């Protein structure tokens, strides 16, 4: 290929691009077809995209999304260009809008309490209504509500087939595609909890990717991960580092069954709908717990704030692993029955005009993006690319998820005014994962409101005093509006007292969208709450009852008693020639000598010569003086990929500060093969430990099984030959206590004083084969056990159980079952105590299931108390389907006897009351969730 004209053209275009990117470089990097885009040429994500655009334009060809996402060298980019002569913008065909828009007047699932109910409601109300239009290189894929539900059930069946249990967490590491939507609802339909994580963007950052996701998956206790085949290398590394991650699967592997998933356990509004891990711009990611109620409250409030109408169309390229793309774009569209036109983030980054063309093509009315996306459209899109563009349908352009820059609002509005974009459509908004997604929104159709304030009073004392129109040093902030309906915000000082308007402080909020905290992170949860208010982590002030964000609390630099806002200086330094734009971090570092913070500027560059770098430092100092009126204390120039960012591209200033204080700025990142090797090596010790633990468990289990075998024959013989069930009970009690002790299982009994001296009906939860042993070991007195009639067909079991005085009952024949219930009542009336499991046969899935009424009806008929007994820990020590028990603790809690009314006026109601009273105690002490009906 080296001799082909295409190769020479590609190399020439690349060299020209690098010269333009780093105009002051004395020795530009040597460029060959096999030059690594990141390691050799120092190109980050946006620079790679820009190079791809230059190659497309210069060679008159297109680049597939897959090639853009996976190419690591110029040769691979060139191969991707040869694969496809055009981008998907021309593949998007004319659409009949009537086919994707619902009929006017259709109601919404206003009474739904979960996302599952929302989808089921829409699938009944308008099953063939198009909900999602997924755009890709090959064209579009349309998904109706019916298909979304059917495909989700197929995924749910596949997950359950692989052993997924209710309320377990499942990670989704998929790109934007139809599969993502199916998988998300498939996890919910299986009764589990989705955990969205982002797929690896570049192989060269695999170590950082695995490190960050290891913490997420371990914190979430993820049992399964669903990904694409291409990501299996990373997935296997994650599997090696996360003890609980027992299976990595692809969507194809989940779709091989018949799609008939059993109904999940009852899901309620206060159950977790998914865990949204924060991007970690100011620290390690934290898992925000969001319930179905949180999501529905936020989506309904957003719908009211932006007045979602039946003829709206949402167009989005936002990644689905972030709340703005997942909730704001998709789930809100799904709830309000409007179609979502979605493309991958890579498609937008490569060709920003595709976003605008999709808005035109589908007559999009609503879209949202971070500030950088609007800036990218201004800088990247040429007039030729948008000839004939019509944006007149776009009524709401939400700008959020990162600081909103006043100049971006102006530039975008002016750039696209001639194409039908209206200034009032631009809508700065504010939200955060802790408030589900949305919190603040301005009046609809007003357009941006920008406030100019005097720099010195705000920096010194936090007073946002209006600045004169000609004040060159003024700070400008954008209003994000007021709190959504049903929510509230306030600004407080460092002492927690609410401040007046135009006084800067900490922004707090509360409302139905507010999270209950961070998943398995009580320390961070405690920091999140201030009584019933939640901290946003942002600073702001109010003016005319609207909120103006000034910066992240942790990022603001206090220097000489003055507040410095990093993003302002980062934007200015990013414009300095020689600095890689978007790759600047400004942060403060404590200076013990001066007693204040040092102002540090960390900037990426490809300039290597001493003179060139000295000149660049001077230009950065001049930029700082022009913006802040003072120079920085430290200017650090570093190679590409030094400035740390979140998955959404936000600067991780706190992490950069830690890197600076550890003296690791400029440390060269190892090659991908070395990172993989080191990760594999690091996983060997945990794997060895797990293998050792597994081996010890097997040896222990085998030992317990041998003990059981040694005890079984003598215990069976003594039981069958015992002169009375009471004697047989004492034999089994002694054997049970001995077996538990030798098996390393500790038995803790609470409330033994509640054991009645007279006849009673004992009811206990049933989670494992160990439950019988636990009851034998706990109860000193004989109880007549109740077992299913099927045991009579097995001679060994029949003789043993009859020796214990077990009563056999029918489960399937209604007439015989009724007779058995009366027989139980007769036994109790005769002065014998009964013990039974009202749930019936146990299952592997955790949860306390509904109780049958037979035992309670017998107690009412015999006028004896019901003794509730909660058994905790047996399911974990010996789950259904396993035969080797683990070491651990079993706790048996006896409640106070529940007495039936004397005499009962209505036996059925009395039995129900007894059942509910006993079940309430067991539910409170068995350590499992309620898996009952409703």
């Amino acid at each position: 290929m080296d001799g082909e004209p295409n190769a020479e053209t590609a190399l020439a275009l690349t060299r020209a691009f690098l010269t333009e990117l780093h105009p002051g470089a004395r020795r530009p990097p040597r460029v060959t077809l096999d030059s690594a885009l990141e390691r050799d040429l120092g190109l980050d994500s946006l620079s790679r995209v820009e190079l791809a655009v230059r190659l497309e334009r210069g060679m008159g060809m297109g680049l597939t999304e897959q090639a853009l996402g996976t190419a690591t060298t110029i040769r691979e980019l060139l191969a991707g260009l040869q694969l496809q002569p055009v981008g998907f913008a021309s593949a998007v065909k004319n659409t009949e809008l009537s086919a994707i828009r619902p009929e006017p007047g259709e109601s919404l699932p206003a009474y739904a309490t979960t996302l599952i109910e929302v989808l089921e409601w829409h699938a009944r109300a308008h099953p063939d209504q198009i909900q999602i239009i997924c755009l890709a290189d090959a064209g579009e894929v349309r998904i109706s509500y019916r298909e979304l539900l059917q495909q989700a059930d197929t995924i749910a069946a596949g997950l359950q087939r692989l052993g997924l249990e209710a309320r377990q967490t499942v990670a989704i590491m998929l790109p934007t595609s139809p599969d993502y939507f199916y998988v998300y609802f498939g996890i919910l339909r299986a009764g589990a909890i989705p955990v969205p994580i982002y797929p690896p963007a570049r192989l060269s950052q695999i170590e950082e990717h695995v490190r960050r996701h290891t913490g997420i998956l371990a914190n979430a206790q993820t049992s399964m991960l669903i990904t694409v085949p291409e990501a299996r290398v990373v997935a296997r590394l994650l599997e090696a580092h996360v003890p609980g991650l027992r299976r990595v699967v692809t969507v194809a592997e989940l779709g091989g069954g018949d799609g008939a998933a059993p109904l999940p356990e009852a899901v309620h509004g206060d159950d977790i709908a998914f865990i949204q891990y924060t991007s970690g711009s100011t620290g390690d990611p934290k898992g925000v717990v969001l319930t179905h109620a949180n999501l529905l409250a936020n989506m309904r409030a957003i719908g009211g704030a932006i007045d979602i109408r039946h003829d709206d169309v949402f167009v989005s390229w936002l990644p689905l692993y972030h709340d703005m793309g997942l909730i704001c774009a998709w789930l809100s569209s799904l709830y309000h029955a409007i179609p979502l036109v979605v493309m991958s983030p890579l498609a937008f980054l490569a060709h920003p005009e595709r976003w605008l063309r999709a808005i035109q093509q589908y007559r999009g009315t609503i879209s949202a993006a971070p500030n950088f996306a609007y800036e990218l459209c201004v800088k990247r899109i040429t007039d030729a690319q948008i000839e004939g563009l019509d944006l007149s349908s776009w009524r709401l352009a939400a700008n959020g998820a990162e600081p909103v820059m006043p100049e971006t609002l102006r530039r975008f509005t002016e750039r696209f005014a001639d194409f039908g974009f209206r200034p009032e459509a631009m809508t700065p908004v504010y939200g955060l994962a802790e408030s589900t997604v949305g919190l603040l929104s301005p009046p609809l159709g007003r357009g941006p409101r920008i406030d100019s304030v005097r720099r010195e009073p705000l920096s010194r004392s936090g007073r946002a005093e209006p600045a004169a129109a000609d004040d060159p040093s003024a700070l400008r902030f954008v209003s994000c509006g007021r709190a959504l309906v049903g929510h509230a915000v306030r600004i407080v000082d460092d002492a927690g007292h609410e401040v007046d308007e135009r006084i800067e402080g900490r922004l707090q909020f509360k409302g139905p969208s507010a999270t209950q905290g961070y998943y398995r992170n009580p320390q961070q949860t405690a920091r999140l709450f201030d009584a019933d208010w939640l901290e946003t982590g942002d600073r702001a002030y109010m003016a005319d009852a609207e909120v103006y964000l000034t910066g992240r609390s942790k990022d603001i630099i206090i220097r000489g008693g003055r507040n410095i806002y990093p993003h302002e200086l980062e934007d200015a330094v990013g414009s300095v020639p020689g600095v890689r734009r978007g790759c600047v971090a400004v942060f403060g570092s404590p200076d013990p000598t001066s007693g204040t913070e040092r102002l540090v500027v960390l900037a990426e560059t490809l300039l290597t010569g001493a003179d060139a770098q000295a000149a660049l430092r001077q230009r950065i100092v001049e930029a700082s003086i022009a913006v802040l009126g003072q120079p920085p204390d430290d200017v650090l120039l570093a190679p590409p990929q030094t400035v740390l960012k979140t998955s959404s591209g936000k600067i991780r200033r706190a992490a950069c500060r830690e890197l600076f204080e550890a003296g690791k700025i400029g440390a060269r990142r190892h090659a991908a093969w070395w990172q993989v090797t080191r990760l594999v090596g690091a996983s060997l010790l945990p794997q060895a430990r797990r293998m050792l633990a597994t081996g010890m468990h097997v040896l222990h289990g085998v030992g317990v099984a041998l003990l059981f075998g040694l005890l079984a024959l003598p215990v069976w013989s003594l039981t069958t030959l015992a002169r009375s069930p009471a004697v047989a009970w004492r034999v089994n009690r002694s054997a049970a206590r001995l077996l538990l002790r030798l098996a390393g299982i500790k038995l803790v009994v609470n409330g033994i004083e509640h054991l009645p001296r007279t006849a009673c009906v004992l009811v206990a939860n049933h989670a494992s084969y160990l439950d019988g042993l636990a009851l034998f070991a706990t109860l000193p007195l004989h109880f007549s056990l109740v077992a299913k009639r099927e045991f009579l067909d097995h001679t060994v079991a029949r003789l043993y159980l009859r020796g214990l005085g077990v009563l056999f009952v029918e489960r399937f024949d209604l007439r015989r079952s009724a007779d058995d219930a009366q027989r139980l009542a007769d036994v109790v009336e005769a002065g014998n105590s009964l013990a039974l499991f009202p749930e019936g046969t146990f299952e592997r899935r955790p949860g306390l299931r509904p109780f049958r009424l037979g035992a309670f009806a017998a107690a009412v008929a015999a006028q004896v108390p019901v003794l509730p007994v909660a058994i905790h820990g047996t399911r974990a020590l010996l789950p259904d389907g396993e035969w080797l028990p683990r070491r651990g603790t079993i706790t048996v809690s006896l409640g106070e006897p529940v007495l039936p009314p004397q005499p009962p006026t209505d036996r059925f109601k009395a039995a129900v009351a007894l059942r509910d009273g006993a079940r309430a105690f067991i539910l409170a002490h068995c350590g499992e969730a309620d898996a009952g009906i409703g």
Side-chain angles (χ1 to χ4, degrees):
M1 179 181 288
D2 292 7
E4 295 180 5
N6 280 350
E8 292 302 324
T9 303
L11 292 175
L13 290 169
T14 302
R15 294 187 187 101
F17 171 67
L18 291 174
T19 300
E20 181 180 339
L21 189 64
H22 306 288
R26 286 188 172 184
R27 292 184 301 172
R30 180 173 176 268
V31 181
T32 69
L33 287 178
D34 294 313
S35 294
L37 299 176
E38 295 179 6
R39 185 188 67 246
D40 299 331
L41 305 184
L43 302 182
D44 62 3
S45 297
L46 291 179
S47 298
R48 289 169 63 205
V49 168
E50 182 63 29
L51 174 60
V53 171
R54 301 295 179 91
L55 293 177
E56 285 182 325
R57 292 177 185 170
M59 303 175 71
M61 302 182 75
L63 186 70
T64 62
E65 292 175 34
Q66 182 178 6
L68 179 62
T70 61
T72 59
T73 65
I74 298 175
R75 188 185 300 277
E76 292 173 1
L77 276 178
L78 194 57
L81 282 167
Q82 292 176 327
L83 286 174
Q84 179 177 310
V86 294
F88 83 55
S90 61
V92 173
K93 60 191 179 205
N94 289 327
T95 181
E96 296 179 8
L97 297 180
S98 60
I100 65 172
R101 285 177 168 162
E103 293 296 326
E106 288 191 357
S107 60
L108 296 176
Y111 298 103
T113 59
T114 68
L115 293 179
I116 295 173
E117 292 176 11
V118 169
L119 178 57
E120 291 174 340
W121 188 94
H122 284 301
R124 289 192 305 269
H126 33 235
D128 298 319
Q129 176 67 44
I130 299 299
Q131 207 284 297
I132 303 163
I133 301 175
C134 202
L135 304 182
D137 287 328
E140 64 175 34
V141 176
R142 298 189 176 197
I143 304 171
S144 67
Y145 284 101
R146 185 206 308 274
E147 184 176 6
L148 180 57
L149 181 58
Q150 290 175 344
Q151 294 291 339
D153 281 346
T154 298
I155 297 296
L159 290 169
Q160 291 177 337
R161 191 169 58 247
L162 295 177
L164 180 69
E165 298 177 2
R167 295 177 177 83
Q168 288 186 328
T169 53
V170 180
I172 310 174
M173 193 167 77
L174 294 170
T176 299
S177 65
D179 285 342
Y180 201 106
F181 305 104
Y182 304 149
V183 165
Y184 182 85
F185 263 106
I187 296 170
L188 290 180
R189 294 283 288 175
I193 302 170
V195 180
I197 61 177
Y198 62 96
R202 296 180 294 279
L203 188 61
S204 63
Q205 292 185 336
I206 190 170
E207 188 171 9
E208 168 75 2
H209 185 86
V210 171
R211 185 191 68 79
R212 289 177 64 78
H213 278 347
T214 295
I216 289 175
L217 298 178
N219 175 256
Q221 295 181 320
T222 305
S223 60
M224 291 188 188
L225 185 149
I226 304 173
T227 188
V228 295
E230 295 81 359
R232 275 192 176 274
V233 173
V234 176
R236 292 301 180 195
L237 290 172
L238 289 170
E239 189 177 24
H241 283 76
V242 181
L245 184 60
R246 56 186 176 84
R247 193 178 290 270
V248 177
V249 296
T250 64
V251 178
E253 292 169 340
L254 294 173
D258 57 9
L263 290 175
E265 298 181 9
V267 178
H268 305 281
D270 57 357
D271 287 333
I272 301 175
F274 81 104
I275 303 173
Q276 173 68 58
Y277 277 83
T278 60
S279 57
S281 58
T282 59
D284 290 332
K286 300 180 287 291
V288 179
V289 173
L290 295 176
T291 65
H292 291 271
N294 292 148
L295 288 164
L296 290 173
N298 204 248
M299 292 187 293
R300 287 163 177 157
I302 289 174
I306 65 176
D307 188 26
I308 294 182
R309 303 187 288 257
H310 81 279
D311 57 347
D312 277 322
V313 175
F314 203 121
V315 178
S316 176
W317 56 265
L318 298 167
L320 294 169
Y321 49 78
H322 282 145
D323 48 15
M324 197 173 185
L326 181 65
I327 306 171
C328 181
W330 176 36
L331 293 179
S332 292
S333 298
L334 181 140
Y335 176 86
H336 289 96
I338 65 172
L340 170 70
V341 179
V342 63
M343 67 184 72
S344 81
L346 280 176
F348 165 74
L349 290 174
H351 297 278
E353 72 276 6
R354 293 182 178 181
W355 178 33
L356 306 185
R357 285 293 186 187
I359 292 173
Q360 173 191 18
Q361 195 74 38
Y362 293 91
R363 306 308 295 155
T365 59
I366 304 172
S367 195
N371 189 84
F372 89 88
Y374 294 97
E375 190 70 40
L376 196 64
C377 288
V378 172
K379 294 180 176 179
R380 177 79 62 74
I381 298 175
T382 65
D383 290 341
Q385 290 173 320
I386 53 175
E387 184 179 353
L389 179 68
D390 180 8
L391 298 178
S392 60
S393 65
W394 197 358
R395 70 176 184 86
L396 188 138
N399 186 332
E402 65 181 14
V404 180
M405 309 301 290
E407 282 303 300
T408 299
L409 303 181
R410 179 187 62 79
R411 285 194 288 261
F412 186 89
T413 300
E414 292 178 354
R415 174 72 171 83
F416 296 100
D418 291 341
F419 299 93
F421 184 79
R422 298 185 297 276
E424 62 271 19
M426 183 60 74
T427 309
V429 295
Y430 172 80
L432 66 165
E434 288 80 356
S435 183
T436 302
V437 62
L439 180 60
L440 303 172
S441 183
L444 193 63
R446 184 194 66 189
R449 175 178 288 179
I450 298 171
D451 190 33
S452 295
V453 301
R454 296 175 58 202
R455 179 182 296 273
E456 193 65 17
L458 184 66
S459 301
R460 293 287 183 187
S461 59
R463 292 180 289 111
E465 298 179 1
D470 57 351
D471 184 349
S473 66
L475 291 167
R476 304 174 73 215
F477 299 105
V478 179
S479 168
C480 292
R482 305 183 181 188
L484 299 176
V485 172
H487 299 69
V489 296
R490 68 175 186 176
I491 312 291
V492 299
D493 58 22
D494 291 338
H497 301 130
E498 194 163 356
V499 300
D500 294 333
E501 282 210 343
R502 291 198 169 275
I503 300 296
E504 186 193 38
R506 305 195 322 264
L507 177 64
Q508 297 181 333
F509 75 98
K510 62 181 178 179
S513 302
T515 179
Q516 56 191 262
Y518 299 116
Y519 193 67
R520 299 180 63 244
N521 196 336
Q523 293 82 9
Q524 291 294 339
T525 297
R527 296 189 185 102
L528 176 64
F529 283 89
D530 179 6
D532 59 342
W533 291 88
L534 286 80
E535 300 280 356
T536 64
D538 286 307
R539 296 183 67 81
Y541 66 89
M542 283 191 182
D544 297 327
E546 296 193 18
V547 177
Y548 293 80
L549 275 295
T550 58
R552 296 289 294 169
S553 298
K554 292 182 179 181
D555 288 341
I556 289 180
I557 304 162
I558 303 175
R559 188 170 186 269
R562 177 183 174 189
N563 289 349
I564 296 175
Y565 303 92
H567 67 271
E568 183 185 23
L569 182 54
E570 287 169 352
D571 188 59
V573 173
S575 300
V576 173
V579 173
R580 305 181 73 220
R581 186 159 187 88
C583 299
V584 180
V586 174
F587 52 86
S589 181
D591 184 357
T593 304
S594 64
T596 186
E597 286 192 305
R598 296 181 65 82
L599 176 60
V600 182
V601 176
L602 170 61
E604 291 183 7
T605 182
L606 274 183
L607 300 181
T608 55
D611 293 343
Q613 288 201 347
L616 180 58
R617 285 193 180 90
Q618 182 57 39
R619 292 196 294 272
I620 291 174
V621 168
E622 292 170 357
S624 177
I625 293 173
V627 172
L628 302 178
Q630 58 181 296
D633 296 290
D634 294 284
V635 176
L636 304 175
L637 301 181
Q641 313 305 320
T642 298
V643 174
L644 303 177
K645 299 180 182 181
T646 70
S647 59
S648 58
K650 298 177 184 176
I651 302 297
R652 297 172 57 201
R653 300 184 182 96
C656 290
R657 179 176 62 244
E658 293 174 5
L659 203 66
F660 165 73
E661 293 174 350
K664 295 182 179 180
I665 296 293
R668 186 174 179 84
R669 182 179 281 113
H670 292 290
W673 68 267
W674 173 250
Q675 295 184 43
V676 173
T677 302
R678 188 160 61 178
L679 287 168
V680 171
S683 71
L684 292 179
L685 182 58
Q687 285 182 311
R689 288 173 178 167
R690 288 201 294 274
M691 291 175 63
L692 179 60
T694 300
M696 295 298 293
H697 166 62
V698 171
L699 289 175
H700 172 260
V702 170
V704 174
L706 291 174
L707 286 172
F708 180 83
L710 291 172
L711 289 172
L713 182 58
V715 170
W716 183 88
S717 301
L718 292 172
T719 300
T720 57
L721 298 174
R723 67 176 183 270
S724 70
V727 173
W729 186 275
R730 287 195 292 272
V731 170
N732 280 268
R733 183 171 190 266
S734 299
R737 294 172 74 88
L738 175 62
L739 184 61
L740 291 176
R741 188 179 303 113
L742 294 177
I745 298 175
K746 181 181 179 182
L747 179 67
V748 177
V749 179
N750 301 317
I752 193 66
E753 68 275 9
H754 297 315
L755 187 64
R757 297 182 180 273
T758 58
C760 68
V761 175
L762 182 151
V763 293
N765 57 299
H766 199 13
S768 168
Y769 287 113
L770 290 177
D771 296 332
L773 280 176
L775 287 182
F776 275 130
T778 297
L779 302 172
L781 305 175
H782 170 257
F783 276 76
S784 295
L785 300 173
V786 179
K788 56 188 178 182
R789 189 175 294 275
E790 289 93 309
F791 281 122
L792 292 174
D793 298 331
H794 304 278
T795 303
V796 174
R798 181 178 71 248
L799 294 174
Y800 169 74
L801 294 175
R802 278 183 169 168
L804 283 168
V806 169
L807 302 173
F808 298 96
V809 296
E810 175 62 49
R811 294 192 299 163
F812 304 111
D813 187 315
L814 293 180
R815 183 177 299 175
R816 294 180 64 181
S817 180
D819 294 340
D820 287 336
Q822 182 58 49
R823 186 159 58 90
L824 295 181
D826 294 340
V827 169
V828 180
E829 286 180 340
N832 298 303
S833 294
L834 288 179
L836 70 164
F837 301 113
E839 290 175 280
T841 303
F842 63 87
E843 301 177 8
R844 183 180 181 88
R845 293 186 300 169
L848 186 66
R849 284 158 182 78
F851 283 6
R852 296 180 173 89
L853 277 175
F856 308 98
V860 171
Q863 285 294 287
V864 298
V866 170
L867 178 66
V869 175
I871 304 173
H872 179 277
T874 56
R875 194 189 302 275
L877 299 185
L878 186 64
D880 185 26
E882 296 186 17
W883 299 100
L884 300 179
R886 302 175 174 88
R887 291 184 175 88
T889 300
I890 298 175
T891 302
V892 180
S893 301
L894 285 70
E896 293 186 10
V898 183
L899 297 172
Q902 297 180 353
T905 56
D906 186 321
R907 288 196 173 191
F908 179 78
K909 289 183 178 179
V912 170
L914 279 180
R915 179 200 65 187
D916 293 346
R919 192 173 186 277
F921 172 83
I922 293 174
L923 181 63
H925 293 84
C926 71
E928 298 194 355
D930 189 350
I933 300 174

